[in-house]
Amino acid sequence: MLFDDRQVEQYIAQTGMLFTEKQQKLLENYCNGVPITWNIINSVYQEMDVQEKTERGQEPFGEKDFRTLVEKARSRMWDYLEYHVYDRWEISIQEFLMEVAIVEDFTVYMAEMITGRNDVESLLGRIQWIGNFMDIVRNGSETVYKLRNQMRISMIRRLRRKYTKEQIRKLYENAGLYYQISKQPLKALSMYQQVNNTERIASVLIDNVRIAPNNAYYYELKPYYLKLPEEKICKSPELMCGMSMLQSLLLNTEESERWYRELQKYAKEHTGSERRSAKGKILY
C-alpha cells in the first residue's frame, strides 16, 4: 500500500504543500512511499505554514525552515511508532528490539550475548510475522539479521527513554565484548566509546599490541590511543610500546622516542614478569 511517484505528486498537490525540487526529492527518500509519513509531514507543514505564510507568501520553505519541518516530522513519526505500533507488541519483543538496535546487524549468538536471553531464536521467529522492518541475509550456515535504519533509530531513541544509564551501559559493554572476542577491534572500541569505558578500551588496545606486528591495527586505532590518559598508558608496557609504534608511524619522532624511554624506565623500576614483558617490548 505504498505511494508510487504519481500518487506522491497527487498528494502534495491536494494538500497544497510547496517544495523545491531538491526538498521534494529529500522527502521522497525519507518517506519511501509510506502514506503515514506523508500525512505527518503534511500536518507539520500546515502548522508551520499558518505561522509563516504571511512572511514567505506562496514560496517553498527556506533551508532553515525546511530542516525544522523535517526534524519535527521525524520526531512525530517516532512518537507515532512508539505509542501506536510498538506498545501493541509483547513486552519481550519490545525489549529485545531495543537492546539489539545498538548494533548494525547481529546473529543469534551475538543477540544472546548482548541481551542475555536464551529464547532469541523463538523471538526472531515471532518478530518476522509482525512486519517487514528486518532484513535477513543467509550466509552459508550463518544467518545475519539487520533492523532497517528508521526502525533502528527509533528503537535506540526508545531505549534511551525507557532504560537506565546502567542498563544501557551493560548492553554496549556486552556488544563490545562480543566484537573483542570476534577479533573486530574497531567495532569493539566503538561500543566501549559509547559508554566511555576506558578500562575496556585500554584492554582492546593492549590486545592489539600483543598480536603479530604485521596484523596489528595502529593507524586505524589512532583516535583511541591518543585519547587514553597518560597515567593509564604509563602503567602498561603494551600501551607504551603501542604509543611508540603509533607515533613512529605518524612521523612524530620525538614522541615515539619519549614513549620508548618511558618503557625503558618501566623495565628498570619493575621486576619479575612485568620486567620481562617490558624488556620484550623494548627489544621489539
Side-chain angles (χ1 to χ4, degrees):
M1 298 185 69
L2 301 178
F3 281 168
D4 58 26
D5 292 344
R6 181 180 58 83
Q7 290 167 326
V8 168
E9 293 285 354
Q10 286 179 335
Y11 184 79
I12 291 173
Q14 287 173 6
T15 55
M17 293 188 287
L18 289 170
F19 298 115
T20 64
E21 187 176 338
K22 179 183 175 183
Q23 289 171 351
Q24 184 168 323
K25 188 66 180 174
L26 281 170
L27 292 175
E28 288 172 1
N29 290 337
Y30 289 141
C31 295
N32 291 315
V34 180
I36 186 65
T37 59
W38 280 108
N39 180 264
I40 287 172
I41 285 168
N42 178 48
S43 67
V44 175
Y45 181 96
Q46 302 305 336
E47 290 169 11
M48 293 180 66
D49 195 49
V50 168
Q51 298 171 12
E52 299 164 20
K53 64 182 178 182
T54 54
E55 296 177 14
R56 62 189 183 86
Q58 295 302 310
E59 296 294 326
F61 281 120
E63 207 57 41
K64 182 180 177 182
D65 291 329
F66 179 73
R67 285 198 300 271
T68 301
L69 167 77
V70 169
E71 288 306 314
K72 285 185 176 180
R74 180 181 284 132
S75 179
R76 198 167 295 183
M77 184 66 200
W78 298 157
D79 287 341
Y80 172 82
L81 289 172
E82 186 158 336
Y83 301 119
H84 298 283
V85 179
Y86 301 155
D87 276 347
R88 297 174 183 268
W89 298 346
E90 298 172 39
I91 294 293
S92 59
I93 286 175
Q94 294 179 43
E95 291 175 346
F96 175 78
L97 290 171
M98 283 190 286
E99 290 168 5
V100 296
I102 65 171
V103 293
E104 291 184 5
D105 52 47
F106 58 92
T107 61
V108 169
Y109 175 62
M110 183 179 184
E112 288 172 345
M113 273 197 70
I114 293 172
T115 65
R117 303 184 67 99
N118 58 9
D119 59 346
V120 168
E121 290 195 65
S122 171
L123 280 173
L124 287 169
R126 301 207 297 277
I127 288 167
Q128 289 175 53
W129 288 98
I130 293 176
N132 62 346
F133 50 79
M134 187 168 65
D135 294 323
I136 303 171
V137 178
R138 289 180 174 84
N139 184 14
S141 60
E142 188 174 66
T143 303
V144 178
Y145 301 86
K146 182 174 183 177
L147 298 182
R148 294 191 179 176
N149 198 43
Q150 296 91 334
M151 171 78 166
R152 185 172 170 237
I153 293 170
S154 64
M155 277 296 175
I156 290 175
R157 177 179 183 259
R158 196 168 204 255
L159 177 73
R160 288 171 180 160
R161 287 182 174 184
K162 291 187 172 289
Y163 279 35
T164 65
K165 286 185 178 180
E166 190 54 41
Q167 287 174 310
I168 293 171
R169 179 185 180 86
K170 189 67 177 173
L171 292 173
Y172 277 101
E173 287 175 350
N174 289 348
L177 183 59
Y178 170 85
Y179 285 130
Q180 192 172 352
I181 292 170
S182 304
K183 302 290 189 287
Q184 300 179 67
L186 289 168
K187 289 185 176 181
L189 288 166
S190 175
M191 292 293 110
Y192 295 148
Q193 187 71 44
Q194 290 285 340
V195 290
N196 198 30
N197 190 326
T198 54
E199 288 296 322
R200 291 283 183 90
I201 289 171
S203 73
V204 175
L205 298 178
I206 289 170
D207 287 345
N208 183 61
V209 178
R210 285 174 176 164
I211 63 177
N214 59 325
N215 290 326
Y217 300 86
Y218 286 108
Y219 191 79
E220 297 90 333
L221 304 184
K222 176 181 69 172
Y224 299 99
Y225 277 108
L226 297 180
K227 281 182 182 176
L228 278 178
E230 189 151 321
E231 59 271 19
K232 182 76 179 174
I233 300 171
C234 289
K235 293 178 181 177
S236 165
E238 289 85 1
L239 289 178
M240 285 185 278
C241 177
M243 284 298 291
S244 181
M245 173 61 77
L246 174 63
Q247 295 293 358
S248 181
L249 290 170
L250 296 174
L251 306 182
N252 296 330
T253 309
E254 289 183 11
E255 275 296 288
S256 179
E257 290 299 315
R258 180 172 78 86
W259 284 114
Y260 178 74
R261 289 192 297 273
E262 287 291 335
L263 192 55
Q264 288 178 314
K265 179 182 174 185
Y266 183 96
K268 289 177 183 177
E269 293 175 351
H270 290 76
T271 59
S273 59
E274 291 176 326
R275 184 177 184 181
R276 284 196 300 274
S277 174
K279 290 185 76 171
K281 295 297 178 291
I282 290 169
L283 290 171
Y284 163 63

